[in-house]
Amino acid sequence: MASPIRQLLALITQSVETLEAACKYSGMAIPSLDEPFTPLSEEFRANPEAAEAARIISAAALQLEAIVSPPQVSLYRIVNGYLKSSALRVCLEAGVTEILREAGPQGIHVQEMALKNGQDPQRMARFMRFLATHHIYREIAPDVFAHNRISSILDTGKSSAAILADPSQKHDGTNGFAALISHQLDLGFKAAAYSWEHLSDPTTMNSGEPDTSAFARAIGSQETLWTYLARPEERFRQQRFSIAMKGTQEMHRPESVVQAFNWSKFAPDSLIVDVGGGVGSACLALAPRFPQFRFVIQDREEVVAQGKELWKIKMPEAIYSGQVTFQVHNFFDPQPQHDATVFLVKNVLHDWSTDHCVKILSRLAAVANHDTTLILLEMVLPLATSERNSDNKMLEAPSPLLANYGATNDLGYNFDFLMFLEFNAQERTQKEFRELLGLSGWEFVAMHWQTGGDTSNIHYIEARKPV
């Protein structure tokens, strides 16, 4: 039998051939690391074979590195992860991304950069060289840096002069990705420093309350992230967080809510209740395709107001005809909709500990009948080992890769840790979702997977009342 590194090499070779053939057939190019990101550079992932091949190449390369690198070097990449985060935060907040975009492909010397952002050029060179060593930015000549594919996605699209003159407006009107990174490198980073203190304290180690999280310990106050952001002096962070949440929605294709589930199986005039539905982004994808359905979008009063304004712009006829209505509702309170065909719960449960999730889902079970379908749209974490005995097994990587595709597929685990830090909450495995449903009066029916190559780990969980 071939050695593990030979098996990994064979996977890489085969997958490179698949990727190149798929891209050639589709007329798409494999992106260049040295060129700034453009949406067109991601078009090759629309081909499932190409996307899956790219995923396997990444997983195999990282696993190969783990085998042949000295273990202390591999370990220190984790130990010193906070240093990379610190360097990236400095560059992000110092307007480096925008300055490099304005400089163009020829790059800019750190001395000239310092004239724009007021930072010490020698220190900036050190931070940027550290990041360039990990393929974030490029050092194209001594102390001269330029963008690459990875660093360019942090760009707000605004002028460096504007954001440095008034940082409070930096993220307004952007796609939200830079805001998300800024939030995590700020509040998430600070909360992470208190993980062990949180878990070693008997008063908080088993808590599922959002006001006793690692974040609460970091700010020195027993309050939730929501109440902290509501402070008048935290208006910038609150606005940044709101923009960041819009950015996370942009990371998932709107049509996925339509494609990943057989909505056409429901009868005309079915009532879809979007619980904690925000401004109704899921229903915005569903309503035009299923005009025979009725939709109720439930959320807090201020969110409902935002949603109504959005729908008046995006799909006013749905509001005026009554196909779509908004309802102010706290999902911990009794559910007012007693005739729902579908309860849709999208990206809600990961914000809450198990006890709170049981309360949310139990409220829905209390008014559901045996024809009611519960659909959870949540991130489902795969295991690092094969689930061979599962009757609804998730897509697994080919051997000898880790079943979950390893570090190339770690986005879900990152968000899981962030949920722990900020809310005492979590992302969940399939087993944990099954247990959660059983505790709250529901019965697991099926899991609906995304296509090969998808790295979001977002899946649809279908449930019903037990017979």
Side-chain angles (χ1 to χ4, degrees), residues 192-371:
Y194 289 87
S195 299
W196 176 241
E197 286 74 12
H198 175 72
L199 291 173
S200 60
D201 185 341
T203 65
T204 58
M205 62 191 305
N206 296 313
S207 173
E209 298 302 318
D211 61 355
T212 60
S213 64
F215 167 76
R217 186 179 293 270
I219 62 172
S221 175
Q222 187 170 330
E223 60 182 303
T224 68
L225 176 65
W226 312 117
T227 57
Y228 174 81
L229 293 176
R231 293 179 181 181
E233 68 271 22
E234 296 301 336
R235 185 180 180 278
F236 166 73
R237 285 188 168 105
Q238 192 281 329
Q239 179 70 1
R240 181 184 63 185
F241 184 79
S242 297
I243 297 169
M245 292 304 96
K246 293 177 183 176
T248 61
Q249 295 173 9
E250 294 297 321
M251 294 169 67
H252 309 300
R253 295 177 294 112
E255 63 271 20
S256 65
V257 73
V258 179
Q259 296 172 351
F261 188 80
N262 181 22
W263 294 92
S264 61
K265 73 178 184 178
F266 298 118
D269 204 38
S270 289
L271 175 61
I272 316 298
V273 180
D274 192 354
V275 181
V279 296
S281 58
C283 295
L284 266 173
L286 290 168
R289 292 168 174 83
F290 300 99
Q292 70 274 27
F293 293 167
R294 294 173 293 126
F295 299 88
V296 174
I297 302 165
Q298 299 177 331
D299 214 298
R300 294 172 289 119
E301 184 174 3
E302 59 270 29
V303 179
V304 162
Q306 295 170 13
K308 287 179 178 178
E309 292 304 312
L310 176 68
W311 278 76
K312 287 177 183 177
I313 298 170
K314 296 281 189 179
M315 198 176 173
E317 66 276 13
I319 296 291
Y320 299 140
S321 69
Q323 181 197 9
V324 175
T325 58
F326 279 84
Q327 183 175 46
V328 175
H329 175 62
N330 182 332
F331 43 53
F332 290 114
D333 294 337
Q335 172 57 234
Q337 297 293 332
H338 289 238
D339 57 346
T341 308
V342 174
F343 283 119
L344 174 63
V345 183
K346 174 178 176 285
N347 295 337
V348 168
L349 302 182
H350 70 160
D351 284 340
W352 301 97
S353 64
T354 296
D355 288 345
H356 286 90
C357 288
V358 169
K359 292 176 184 176
I360 295 168
L361 296 180
S362 295
R363 290 298 194 188
L364 305 182
V367 297
N369 56 51
H370 293 298
D371 295 325

Side-chain angles (χ1 to χ4, degrees), residues 18 95 112 143 192 221 239:
T18 299
E112 187 178 348
D143 291 332
S221 175
Q239 179 70 1

